[in-house]
Amino acid sequence: MTTTTDTLTDQAWELDAPGFEHPYVDADEWRSEPVAHRYVHGGFAGTDTRFSFYFPPVDGYEGRFVQHVTPVPQSENLAASATGEEDKITFALAGGGYFVETNGGGPDAANPFSGMDPTIGAYRANAAAAQFSRRLATALYGEHRTYGYLYGGSGGGFRTIGAAENTVGVWDGFVPYVIGSPMAMPNVFSVRMHAQRVLREVLDDIADAYDVGGDPSALVLTDEQRAAFDEVTRMGFPPRSWFGWRTMGMHGFSALYPGVLAADPTYGDDFWSVPGYLGADPASSVHRDRVVHETTVTTIGGREASVTVELSAGGVDESYQHASGEAAGPVEIELGEAPSGWMLGAELHVRSGAAAGTVLRVASVSGATVTLEPGQAVTVAAGDTVVLDNSTFLAAQTYHRHQVPGSAYPVWDQFRDDAGEPAHPQRPVILGPLFTAGASGSVPTGEISGKMIVVACLLDREAFAWQADWYRQRVQEHLGADADADFRLWYMDDATHGDDETQENQTHTVPYVGVLHTALRQLADWVERGLEPAPSTSYTIDDGQVSVPATAASRGGVQPVVTISAGGSSSARVAVGEEVRVTIEADSPEHGLPFVSVATDLTGAGRLDEPIAVARTHRLSLTRTCTFERPGTYFIAARATTQDDLDAGTAAGRAHGIARARIVVS
């Protein structure tokens, strides 16, 4: 190949893409960080779509690109600041490709109420950028076949699937990850919020019961608690994931439930008055937890009563600065009287003043201090009468009961009577497919236009794992007996929803970013060289719960399987000061990668020590010892990491497995 040194900004471009016919380049420069690359930025005339391309030097280019899709349209300048396993530029260029990112069509594409054609944010803006990147690759490297691979998670998974099903010839392969089904929104969030409310006093007990060495049969729950636990579990929430309950919060539900009420405005009233809804049951704890608290605003952001505040889309007050000259942070409103009760999801209704009639979303309530969510614009004045009200949020928590779909969604069978009919009143419209079409550009059907590897996580609290199997079934319906020639599903154990390298609970969970890297690498080999990727993970589904075999040989996929034992058991009882023999074993599956390191926590601190390098092999067996000088229950852990030779010396391509053991010291 040859490369041009001509400045791309000086050239006029045209593209055969309706609505995106006139691309332009407004930046073209060489950069050295995070690795040497040619940075190209631009957009499409008459649109808000912007893109960034990161091209490697000619001697590092092998004729492909990788493009990432964010959960919702965001910025085209995210990749440059990423580090470690999340460094997409280094990963793409190390694999012989260039990296593509866009803003997904701009701010209106991220706003479902903007009136913009949803297909722009779903896939058309990304497709136009991908097509134009090929034009520039030809200008830079000469005539050649450029292969393209698209990947994205959560809402980006919907957008990746939308691209796979609604375009032909733009991309050659796809890696959607932590994906939902057309019934995901708002239902997986509503059922979880209901469980978080009802179970909040026993979630520590549940987390312990489902941790290693725990005993779920010993759980003591009230009838209401048992019903809520069974409901959320049968809907697909993984019981082993309750260890993170303190920081789960609302996730996407805070943005979804106002949309539910906007689309179904009579639901809130029906919930509290019509038989068959939880709010109409006087015995339900929902009445105990309902808060309607009227008071006045005393100060805003710590300022005196005469001051008003304007919330920007960023959730901070941009109309003023503190006396120190520092910009204000998230806006806090101080109330005259503190409310009491379960305040998660409450709204602040403004009853008087310039903003009368406005409803503000609340991020948190601490005493008399209310912190508002970002993305709201309204003037609130000290002295205004306000009502802190969680009624609609409580109502939305059981919305899934009134959205019973067809037989393709067996997790809803729990809401059917003996005749197979819905046991609760049903709403006029099932909203999930409408929300999904807004994200994907269409309701997913499985009619993919290229090869695909789906990555899903067994501890996912926001995209329950069975939904990846739901999509596999749709692909199988489309491709029939040949589905395995174009589709794989890899399940990751001990991984949650976020694609973050840093884990909040690092002895419970592992990042899966490196598995995405592996999927993209194997996908490229599959498309370009005909090399089969790792087989789909073997799994079963029972009552909403996905289970995988215990051994790497039986499980498949690419994730290593790790075990750790104390005195030969995953749950041991020892005396204070007694030496405990710890055995760590790890296996990489047939199509997995060699081990490169092991990290442990043998003190029960909940933090892994620095990884130690190990010989590059597909099987590990290590022995360690530990002692505990105080009585108590301790959890030790070991994480083993594999990595492709191609990524040696970088943070890319790491696949992790983790295991825990319980030690009771007395």
Side-chain angles (χ1 to χ4, degrees), residues 533-560:
S536 292
T537 305
S538 297
Y539 61 92
T540 58
I541 301 180
D542 182 21
D543 226 0
Q545 294 298 309
V546 179
S547 300
V548 296
T551 66
S554 300
R555 186 178 300 185
V558 297
Q559 184 184 22

Side-chain angles (χ1 to χ4, degrees), residues 506-556:
Q506 59 180 261
T507 62
H508 274 280
T509 62
V510 294
Y512 59 82
V513 179
V515 171
L516 303 180
H517 296 161
T518 302
L520 289 162
R521 294 268 170 77
Q522 294 195 12
L523 182 65
D525 283 342
W526 199 10
V527 169
E528 299 169 27
R529 302 168 59 195
L531 299 178
E532 292 279 328
S536 292
T537 305
S538 297
Y539 61 92
T540 58
I541 301 180
D542 182 21
D543 226 0
Q545 294 298 309
V546 179
S547 300
V548 296
T551 66
S554 300
R555 186 178 300 185

Side-chain angles (χ1 to χ4, degrees), residues 174-491:
F174 308 88
V175 179
Y177 57 96
V178 293
I179 60 174
S181 70
M183 286 301 295
M185 299 181 286
N187 304 298
V188 299
F189 297 102
S190 64
V191 71
R192 192 186 87 185
M193 296 310 306
H194 174 66
Q196 284 178 249
R197 179 184 66 82
V198 175
L199 299 172
R200 64 187 187 271
E201 295 176 356
V202 293
L203 285 175
D204 276 332
D205 296 334
I206 292 172
D208 184 72
Y210 282 89
D211 207 337
V212 62
D215 183 6
S217 67
L219 274 173
V220 178
L221 305 176
T222 67
D223 289 345
E224 184 182 37
Q225 289 169 341
R226 173 58 64 183
F229 178 78
D230 289 347
E231 180 176 350
V232 72
T233 303
R234 296 179 68 187
M235 279 289 282
F237 185 96
R240 289 189 295 131
S241 210
W242 279 117
F243 64 83
W245 70 269
R246 283 182 174 80
T247 55
M248 282 185 197
M250 295 183 286
H251 202 265
F253 196 48
S254 61
L256 286 170
Y257 92 87
V260 171
L261 298 177
D264 191 354
T266 64
Y267 173 73
D269 290 337
D270 290 347
F271 174 85
W272 294 105
S273 60
V274 176
Y277 293 86
L278 187 65
D281 177 4
S284 170
S285 66
V286 74
H287 297 283
R288 174 201 67 196
D289 290 331
R290 189 179 187 183
V291 175
V292 182
H293 177 73
E294 182 171 330
T295 183
T296 58
V297 175
T298 58
T299 61
I300 304 168
R303 293 169 295 166
E304 295 300 324
S306 60
V307 185
T308 61
V309 60
E310 183 78 15
L311 282 179
S312 73
V316 299
D317 174 9
E318 294 183 346
S319 67
Y320 81 99
Q321 291 183 324
H322 291 307
S324 65
E326 297 179 357
V331 172
E332 295 181 345
I333 294 178
E334 197 75 18
L335 304 179
E337 297 178 15
S340 61
W342 195 74
M343 298 308 305
L344 186 64
E347 298 170 324
L348 193 69
H349 297 248
V350 184
R351 297 296 196 215
S352 69
T358 300
V359 179
L360 298 174
R361 299 190 307 277
V362 173
S364 64
V365 179
S366 178
T369 302
V370 175
T371 302
L372 299 177
E373 283 195 358
Q376 305 174 89
V378 66
T379 300
V380 182
D384 287 350
T385 299
V386 294
V387 176
L388 200 60
D389 191 341
N390 68 354
S391 300
T392 55
F393 187 74
L394 292 174
Q397 290 175 11
T398 47
Y399 197 76
H400 54 278
R401 298 181 181 178
H402 312 285
Q403 296 277 284
V404 178
S407 59
Y409 299 94
V411 298
W412 265 270
D413 288 348
Q414 62 182 303
F415 305 117
R416 302 182 192 277
D417 60 21
D418 292 340
E421 296 299 317
H424 301 88
Q426 296 298 290
R427 305 309 297 171
V429 177
I430 293 181
L431 297 182
L434 300 179
F435 288 164
T436 303
S440 295
S442 61
V443 177
T445 63
E447 297 184 20
I448 57 177
S449 62
K451 295 186 184 300
M452 179 180 287
I453 300 176
V454 173
V455 177
C457 298
L458 295 184
L459 297 190
D460 199 328
R461 307 151 184 164
E462 287 78 40
F464 299 160
W466 63 261
Q467 295 177 107
D469 173 74
W470 179 92
Y471 191 66
R472 180 198 61 79
Q473 293 181 53
R474 305 291 81 76
V475 172
Q476 204 160 35
E477 289 171 357
H478 171 55
L479 297 178
D482 296 329
D484 203 46
D486 289 296
F487 184 85
R488 294 288 192 275
L489 168 54
W490 294 348
Y491 275 114

Side-chain angles (χ1 to χ4, degrees), residues 141-188:
Y141 304 112
E143 288 291 339
H144 65 285
R145 165 74 158 95
T146 308
Y147 294 92
Y149 305 98
L150 186 72
Y151 75 117
S154 192
F158 278 135
R159 299 171 74 200
T160 301
I161 288 171
E165 294 186 356
N166 292 286
T167 68
V168 176
V170 178
W171 299 279
D172 299 280
F174 308 88
V175 179
Y177 57 96
V178 293
I179 60 174
S181 70
M183 286 301 295
M185 299 181 286
N187 304 298
V188 299

Side-chain angles (χ1 to χ4, degrees), residues 625-663:
T625 60
C626 61
T627 58
F628 299 90
E629 301 303 326
R630 294 182 180 180
T633 299
Y634 299 85
F635 291 92
I636 60 173
R639 186 183 75 186
T641 300
T642 63
Q643 188 180 40
D644 196 302
D645 292 340
L646 178 66
D647 296 311
T650 77
R654 296 171 178 169
H656 309 279
I658 198 166
R660 289 162 60 83
R662 181 190 299 247
I663 301 177

